[in-house]
Amino acid sequence: MNLPPAKGRLLRGGRVAARILLVWLAVVGALRAVDALLPGFAMHHWWQPTVCALLLGLLNAVVWPLVLRIALPVAMFTFGVGSFLFLGAGALAIFSAMPGVEIHDFGSAVIVVLVLAAVGALISGVLAVDEDEIFFRRAARRARRGGGDRAADPPGILFLQVDGLGYDVVRRAVRDGDMPTLAAWLTGGSHALSLWHTDWSSQTGASVCGILHGSNHDILGFRWYEKDRDHVMACAHPRDAAEIERRHSNGKGLLADGGAARGNLFTGDAPHFSLTMSSIAGLVPKDQRRSKKDRIGAGYYAYFANPVNALRTFAASLVDVGRELSAASRQRRADVRPRTKRGGWYPLARPGTTVIARDVVVSAIIEDILNGRPAVYADFLGYDEVAHHSGIERFDALAVLRSIDQQIGRIARACQLSTRRYHVVVLSDHGQTQGWAFADRFGEPVESLVGRLCGGSGDDPGAHSARRSAEGWQVGAALAEATSGGGLIARRLRGRVERAGFADDRPRTESGKPGEVSRVAPGVVTVVSGHVAMVSFTEHEGRVPLETIEREYPELLPSLVDHDGIGFVLVRSEEFGPVVLGRDGLHRLATGVVIGEDPLLGYGEHAADLIRRVDRFPHCADLMINSSYDPSTGDASPFEPHVGSHGGLGGPQSRAFLVHPKEFEVPDEIVGAERVHRLFRDWLADVRAPAHASQAADQPAVGR
């Protein structure tokens, strides 16, 4: 990979030995200090700190990784705090067994363990050594064993997805210094920045399924209603994600040839995966579950096996909670608008994506690099999550973006010591468009509006939820995978994960089984996905035509198209086929005839084609409603309570990006996730082609 040299030192001779020696000496000194300062802990002989330091080192290096195979779910659910409870119990046993050492209680043992972990982290910092060093040394040994020939295998490609980061935002972030790693690549000439246009459904489910499996057919949103099963499909639900992958996988996905998927909704047919919603053992039915070659908890185990990582994760999580509380307070004091509610459990849940999932994903990617996987696709979710609540370019969202850029640089650094050369591609699955939420701006959610116009009470409890669990699925996947055993506690924890992923105000059923979905009015279901709302009339089979809707709900369509928060409505007409309706005009998609002002003006040159494609989907709703968008201000009104949002057409949400090696060929225009899939397959074929050609040339001639 032709990248500028990474900052900092890689490996020096004797660095690991020096680190071990210094950590041991520092732990001896720390034990003496704790002996003097901590009531309830005493060592009366000079040799006791030395011996205890050795025993505690063995506990951390040998015993703790074995215990973690059982304790991993506790470590995950407690942001690493549970690790120190187990280590405290081990330290208590060591101190109690050591002659002459006095320790009065379990709490004192936990404090000692915390102090020693902090000392280890401090020594690592003083030596400018991070926890990747052990990985780097292993990689160097593998390279030596293989003769150090990095050209022996064809290059691999790392696809690193920054969820929700739009093309326009990444350009400004590179320019303003918020993504220095990407800026160095672009200014150094190794990489180029390209734009790609998303499908109408500009959200992770449609984009990632299209990119990884080459098809996102019939994926209408992050959630949508299927009338024939009376079921709301949700990409963030394990059973539904497994069903989506079953429908779209042909076994030859982007990662099928020995690749790895980390932190994704779908596997891309990778044989190695973690934090992947479609393949969570225990939550996905056996008939829909993929064979899992990685051990349970791959990535988490390697990360939390080191107590220093647990301490670092916990400390970083506390800092992130503080940042969230501070950012929310600053917005309220300054009366920043638009803004959304950021209280409740969100400050405590936010580190799950911005810190924990990010670090675990990076750990798994580095392991993939050292194992020489030919392709890796990973999703960094933190920016998308914070931008939903803060805004797409506000200071706390950009701070998360800087931390992701730092991790990308860390991964590039790891590539330099791999036995396989790697190309790094950074991309997004969609962007975000900022605006004041529909319910806050107009006083009622779109579900209530539709219900009222269809004769219901206009009061949909689910529509008033302060925060929809849209794409915070990565934490749920982590917790579910960490508890994928078959024991009693694991079963209880899996139940908690499943309940946590979906609030009671979003009724659902088990995938494939008919059930009751709440109606906003008799016979009317409304499902929201970002900037798109989908209305289905359940008393009619198949698509309900415009003429029937006009007859049964005469006020519905006129009121919708005349609403300031609604940009256009797609409906099927018996006479004219698919028609897009706006306030001042209509667009007949079958013939291209426009009467009045084209309702698709301002939604991009590809809008008509993208909508025409969705109209052909089997589960296309009877009404597909897209929020309004003002090109002059860049403002839109999402149907969910977010500041930055996506899921439909209008503004930056449809403009995703690719940062790719400059030698990779890119067409002038890329439209749709399926086109991105074909492009990535071409890149993988191109980087493998020289090696394949070389191997063919080395074969003896036959029949000559």
Side-chain angles (χ1 to χ4, degrees):
M1 182 175 62
N2 299 320
L3 297 176
K7 293 183 179 180
R9 291 168 288 181
L10 289 176
L11 291 177
R12 300 286 190 271
R15 178 73 64 81
V16 173
R19 179 181 182 275
I20 293 173
L21 179 61
L22 285 178
V23 168
W24 175 56
L25 293 175
V27 168
V28 172
L31 286 173
R32 292 185 182 278
V34 173
D35 176 25
L37 299 174
L38 180 64
F41 178 69
M43 292 182 166
H44 300 291
H45 301 286
W46 66 268
W47 56 269
Q48 289 168 338
T50 303
V51 175
C52 286
L54 288 173
L55 293 176
L56 289 171
L58 289 174
L59 173 68
N60 287 341
V62 179
V63 179
W64 170 239
L66 298 176
V67 173
L68 191 64
R69 296 182 185 276
I70 301 172
L72 179 61
V74 178
M76 289 295 301
F77 272 96
T78 60
F79 295 171
V81 176
S83 306
F84 295 101
L85 299 181
F86 283 100
L87 287 172
L92 181 62
I94 290 174
F95 294 141
S96 299
M98 185 66 58
V101 176
E102 296 180 9
I103 187 161
H104 291 177
D105 53 34
F106 174 69
S108 298
V110 173
I111 292 174
V112 172
V113 168
L114 285 169
V115 170
L116 299 185
V119 168
L122 179 63
I123 294 299
S124 294
V126 169
L127 293 177
V129 177
D130 61 30
E131 293 306 318
D132 293 337
E133 179 162 338
I134 188 171
F135 293 134
F136 296 153
R137 183 161 291 277
R138 287 169 55 196
R141 284 200 300 266
R142 291 176 188 174
R144 288 195 296 270
R145 286 198 301 267
D149 183 9
R150 288 165 59 87
D153 294 324
I157 301 181
L158 305 180
F159 300 99
L160 307 180
Q161 176 177 296
V162 185
D163 205 297
L165 180 59
Y167 175 81
D168 305 284
V169 176
V170 76
R171 287 183 64 192
R172 289 188 287 268
V174 166
R175 179 198 65 192
D176 296 339
D178 290 309
M179 300 194 78
T181 300
L182 265 61
W185 297 356
L186 294 171
T187 57
S190 65
H191 283 64
L193 173 65
S194 298
L195 165 72
W196 74 275
H197 297 269
T198 70
D199 301 280
W200 183 6
S201 184
S202 55
Q203 47 80 29
T204 305
S207 292
V208 171
C209 191
I211 293 171
L212 290 181
H213 290 285
S215 170
N216 56 13
H217 178 74
D218 207 25
I219 298 179
L220 296 159
F222 203 72
R223 62 191 70 84
W224 70 92
Y225 178 68
E226 295 190 347
K227 189 186 297 187
D228 54 344
R229 299 192 300 151
D230 191 29
H231 174 68
V232 175
M233 291 286 287
C235 293
H237 190 282
R239 293 185 180 91
D240 289 340
E243 171 64 15
I244 293 169
E245 180 161 328
R246 185 195 65 78
R247 295 177 183 180
H248 294 86
S249 171
N250 62 0
K252 301 177 181 179
L254 186 71
L255 307 174
D257 188 15
R262 307 298 181 190
N264 300 326
L265 282 172
F266 311 107
T267 69
D269 295 318
H272 310 279
F273 45 85
S274 56
L275 266 78
T276 303
M277 187 60 72
S278 64
S279 297
I280 296 176
L283 292 182
V284 176
K286 290 184 178 180
D287 60 342
Q288 298 179 19
R289 198 182 306 165
R290 290 176 48 82
S291 173
K292 186 166 185 174
K293 294 186 179 180
D294 287 353
R295 66 177 181 268
I296 292 175
Y300 327 121
Y301 181 86
Y303 185 77
F304 283 102
N306 191 326
V308 172
N309 284 345
L311 179 64
R312 186 176 296 154
T313 292
F314 179 65
S317 297
L318 290 181
V319 170
D320 197 68
V321 170
R323 287 173 178 167
E324 167 57 28
L325 294 174
S326 173
S329 176
R330 288 174 62 176
Q331 281 195 352
R332 289 193 301 271
R333 290 197 306 270
D335 195 25
V336 173
R337 296 171 184 266
R339 68 176 187 268
T340 190
K341 296 178 181 178
R342 299 170 66 170
W345 289 101
Y346 174 66
L348 297 177
R350 171 177 142 159
T353 55
T354 57
V355 177
I356 300 172
R358 179 203 67 193
D359 290 348
V360 171
V361 164
V362 169
S363 178
I365 294 170
I366 292 175
E367 187 69 24
D368 291 327
I369 291 170
L370 300 183
N371 284 315
R373 315 274 192 230
V376 180
Y377 195 103
D379 189 5
F380 292 94
L381 195 61
Y383 169 80
D384 184 74
E385 181 70 15
V386 175
H388 278 324
H389 295 82
S390 174
I392 62 177
E393 289 187 276
R394 291 177 178 161
F395 71 95
D396 49 336
L398 293 177
V400 173
L401 197 56
R402 285 192 292 272
S403 72
I404 294 173
D405 178 86
Q406 183 181 34
Q407 298 302 320
I408 293 172
R410 180 183 174 200
I411 292 168
R413 178 176 173 231
C415 291
Q416 296 179 40
L417 290 175
S418 171
T419 56
R420 181 193 293 269
R421 286 198 313 115
Y422 279 99
H423 299 285
V424 179
V425 174
V426 184
L427 71 147
S428 63
D429 50 347
H430 54 78
Q432 290 198 22
T433 300
Q434 189 161 299
W436 195 264
F438 186 95
D440 295 332
R441 182 179 174 188
F442 300 107
E444 65 177 339
V446 70
E447 298 97 324
S448 299
L449 171 65
V450 171
R452 178 167 53 80
L453 293 172
C454 292
S457 64
D459 184 20
D460 176 27
H464 297 281
S465 173
R467 175 178 180 266
R468 293 180 185 271
S469 178
E471 291 192 57
W473 50 266
Q474 212 169 50
V475 176
L479 297 176
E481 237 178 61
T483 61
S484 56
L488 172 63
I489 299 301
R491 290 198 301 271
R492 289 180 179 270
L493 292 175
R494 284 201 302 271
R496 288 173 57 83
V497 170
E498 188 170 6
R499 290 191 297 272
F502 293 85
D504 291 337
D505 58 20
R506 295 227 316 274
R508 57 198 164 80
T509 62
E510 293 185 5
S511 182
K513 297 182 179 179
E516 184 67 23
V517 175
S518 64
R519 272 61 170 161
V520 297
V524 182
V525 169
T526 301
V527 176
V528 164
S529 179
H531 285 269
V532 171
M534 293 158 274
V535 181
S536 299
F537 303 100
T538 61
E539 295 180 359
H540 299 271
E541 294 183 0
R543 288 283 292 278
V544 180
L546 177 149
E547 292 80 3
T548 300
I549 297 171
E550 288 179 321
R551 184 169 60 252
E552 297 189 5
Y553 305 100
E555 291 298 320
L556 179 60
L557 286 171
S559 298
L560 289 178
V561 299
D562 206 36
H563 197 286
D564 289 338
I566 292 174
F568 61 83
V569 179
L570 169 66
V571 64
R572 177 70 68 87
S573 167
E574 290 178 334
E575 183 177 1
F576 300 107
V579 179
V580 177
L581 305 175
R583 171 178 287 176
D584 298 312
L586 61 83
H587 188 140
R588 295 172 183 165
L589 296 176
T591 59
V593 171
V594 175
I595 298 177
E597 181 180 311
D598 189 349
L600 298 181
L601 284 177
Y603 289 92
E605 58 182 315
H606 306 291
D609 291 335
L610 296 174
I611 295 171
R612 191 179 294 111
R613 175 175 182 254
V614 170
D615 175 75
R616 295 192 292 267
F617 287 174
H619 290 105
C620 182
D622 299 322
L623 298 180
M624 298 285 295
I625 305 170
N626 200 98
S627 70
S628 61
Y629 172 68
D630 186 348
S632 63
T633 63
D635 180 74
S637 294
F639 297 130
E640 295 184 90
H642 294 153
V643 178
S645 192
H646 52 90
L649 292 173
Q653 62 185 307
S654 300
R655 294 164 59 85
F657 78 91
L658 296 171
V659 171
H660 54 88
K662 211 162 191 177
E663 65 267 27
F664 284 12
E665 292 187 5
V666 177
D668 293 335
E669 192 170 55
I670 308 170
V671 181
E674 294 179 358
R675 181 65 185 90
V676 176
H677 171 84
R678 294 193 296 273
L679 179 65
F680 286 180
R681 291 194 76 93
D682 290 343
W683 289 352
L684 286 170
D686 289 343
V687 298
R688 294 167 182 167
H692 292 165
S694 176
Q695 292 172 6
D698 292 339
Q699 295 297 319
V702 177
R704 292 185 181 177

